[in-house]
Amino acid sequence: MQKGLTNLNRYLLEEQRKYPHATGDFTFIIEQIAFASKIIAREVNKAGIVNILGKAQSVNVHGEDQQKLDVYSNAKMIEALDHIGKLCAMGSEECEDIVPIPDKYPKGKYVVVFDPLDGSSNIDVNISIGTIFGVYRAVTEGNQGTVEDFLQSGRNLVASGYVIYGSSTMLVYTAGNGVSGFTLDPGVGEFLLSHENIKIPEKGKIYSFNEANFDRWTPEIQNYVKSLRSNKERQYTGRYIGSLVADFHRNLLKGGVFAYPGDTNNPNGKLRLLYEAAPLAYIVEQAGGAATDGINNILDIKPEGIHQRTPLVIGSKYEVELYRKYVTGEV
Ligand code: AHM
Ligand code: MG
């Protein structure tokens, strides 16, 4: 497809035509997510000016401070998706329970999961943040949407993606046919195809961990990090923003590994399987990379609860596989 002239809608339409039985439901869902992300991008960009930065009065279900833009972004994602008749429920990192579709609207066969604004603690300091999303087919009968519909492994994802609000706003997306990136042209308000068939390098030179947690990691994880630091053939460099979408996006394009392992304080790490780890794992796998919790492929883990956390090691195949080998004692 021709770069620059292909907007997201055209791309989705052309993809849809490859599947004669496709109804367009799915295309509509992605378009609405993109729409919500443009509204979020606008607010993120003007946050400093209109003085809406700062913490809201509420704390989310994980006991973390919510920023006002979290609340706002969550509301916009729900508003963009609740009325379209394609979903039977939504799941958000910011909501304790699954989000039902209001009775007044028709229901559909999909469920959408999202972290509406990841890395929100970085908002005040002008660091790139992002929205992460995943789309599953509902598995339960009827169209009410139950928790069961969300407790699916990442293997069942129909699509996933993220939007990074950075020096430009970009939407990166897969529906199982490779990974494509679209950059928002603010002049026309359209996402334009800018990165076709994104592939992550097989090996990278970047590692991204919060090394302040080093003393709380297991000796196996410590040894893995030491092996990267002392690697003679490849001079690794450490890059850690502390904003998952930004760290992931850089490593996807440049190669490398991001890890948020478990530690003695938080055995399952910090990141959520459903809203963060699985959607990004699907992207990375489609780009030729890998994601593990140390033992299992992230995409094979079936969540037991919608807010379940998981250790996450994600990026280039070589570094992720090496991590698994260290943790399982193979090296
Ligand atoms: P959030 O979902 O509450 O915004 O937290 C997730 C963020 C990720 O973006 C980032 O990778 C991680 O927290 C950083 O954690 P830490 O500050 O412990 O290194
Ligand atoms: Mg998050």
Side-chain angles (χ1 to χ4, degrees), residues 174-208:
T174 187
N177 231 339
V179 181
S180 303
F182 302 82
T183 302
L184 182 65
D185 180 337
V188 290
E190 289 278 344
F191 280 108
L192 302 178
L193 183 63
S194 53
H195 295 62
E196 272 182 285
N197 198 17
I198 296 172
K199 291 287 173 209
I200 185 167
E202 178 90 18
K203 285 182 174 183
K205 287 187 176 172
I206 295 173
Y207 71 78
S208 314

Side-chain angles (χ1 to χ4, degrees), residues 129-197:
I129 47 185
T131 298
I132 308 171
F133 62 89
V135 183
Y136 291 91
R137 253 181 220 100
V139 288
T140 55
E141 295 293 318
N143 59 8
Q144 278 317 302
T146 67
V147 169
E148 207 54 42
D149 292 314
F150 293 86
L151 302 183
Q152 303 189 53
S153 77
R155 288 270 168 236
N156 291 354
L157 276 164
V158 180
S160 75
Y162 61 87
V163 181
I164 179 166
Y165 310 105
S167 46
S168 56
T169 296
M170 247 191 100
L171 185 146
V172 176
Y173 156 87
T174 187
N177 231 339
V179 181
S180 303
F182 302 82
T183 302
L184 182 65
D185 180 337
V188 290
E190 289 278 344
F191 280 108
L192 302 178
L193 183 63
S194 53
H195 295 62
E196 272 182 285
N197 198 17

Side-chain angles (χ1 to χ4, degrees), residues 256-270:
V257 58
F258 170 93
Y260 208 111
D263 59 43
T264 48
N265 289 352
N266 302 298
N268 290 319
K270 178 178 184 186

Side-chain angles (χ1 to χ4, degrees), residues 277-290:
L280 296 184
Y282 190 33
I283 296 260
V284 89
E285 201 168 289
Q286 282 290 315

Side-chain angles (χ1 to χ4, degrees), residues 7-16 23-40 76-77 80-87 90 110-114 131-137 157-163 165 170-176 178 180-182 184 189-191 279 282-283:
N7 64 3
L8 178 65
N9 294 24
R10 176 176 174 182
Y11 177 90
L12 291 170
L13 198 61
E14 292 191 9
E15 285 295 302
Q16 184 189 315
T23 57
D25 285 7
F26 170 69
T27 297
F28 195 18
I29 294 168
I30 304 298
E31 284 173 1
Q32 286 300 102
I33 292 172
F35 169 60
S37 77
K38 288 185 218 172
I39 305 282
I40 296 168
K76 292 303 142 189
M77 287 292 282
L81 291 165
D82 67 356
H83 62 283
I84 61 176
K86 313 299 180 197
L87 307 182
M90 290 169 273
Y110 291 100
V111 297
V112 170
V113 292
F114 48 84
T131 298
I132 308 171
F133 62 89
V135 183
Y136 291 91
R137 253 181 220 100
L157 276 164
V158 180
S160 75
Y162 61 87
V163 181
Y165 310 105
M170 247 191 100
L171 185 146
V172 176
Y173 156 87
T174 187
S180 303
F182 302 82
L184 182 65
E190 289 278 344
F191 280 108
Y282 190 33
I283 296 260

Side-chain angles (χ1 to χ4, degrees), residues 64 93 115 118-120 210 240 242-244 260 270 272 276:
E64 297 153 352
E93 190 188 291
D115 181 351
D118 182 71
S120 50
N210 185 344
Y240 187 77
S243 181
L244 176 62
Y260 208 111
K270 178 178 184 186
R272 260 72 57 165
E276 296 166 322

